[in-house]
Amino acid sequence: LARGIQRTAVRQAHRKYEPDFHDKYGNLVLLGGAVVFTAVWGYVFTQAGIEWGLSPVGRITPKEWRE
């Protein structure tokens, strides 16, 4: 069994290298993902009405206590 696996490995090592999907399209997919990520978060940050005052002091008021 080990000898057969070894022969197969040697055969594949000598085979001409063919580019696979990642070699052909990897950078393109990565770039596309980065563009979509940036577009979505850019929209969220500009359109979602987020207020950028990070301190809650003065904005959070306690509710009246109900018993």
Side-chain angles (χ1 to χ4, degrees):
L1 180 69
R3 210 171 274 150
I5 293 171
Q6 201 172 20
R7 259 191 241 124
T8 304
V10 167
R11 253 203 315 267
Q12 286 178 349
H14 287 294
R15 190 178 61 179
K16 194 169 77 95
Y17 180 72
E18 302 157 1
D20 63 1
F21 179 86
H22 296 287
D23 293 326
K24 288 181 181 176
Y25 304 111
N27 289 333
L28 196 64
V29 170
L30 187 68
L31 191 65
V35 168
V36 170
F37 177 88
T38 305
V40 168
W41 281 108
Y43 176 80
V44 168
F45 286 143
T46 56
Q47 304 298 317
I50 297 172
E51 294 184 13
W52 289 106
L54 297 179
S55 172
V57 175
R59 264 190 280 149
I60 297 175
T61 56
K63 290 183 179 177
E64 290 297 320
W65 184 257
R66 287 181 296 180
E67 296 205 21

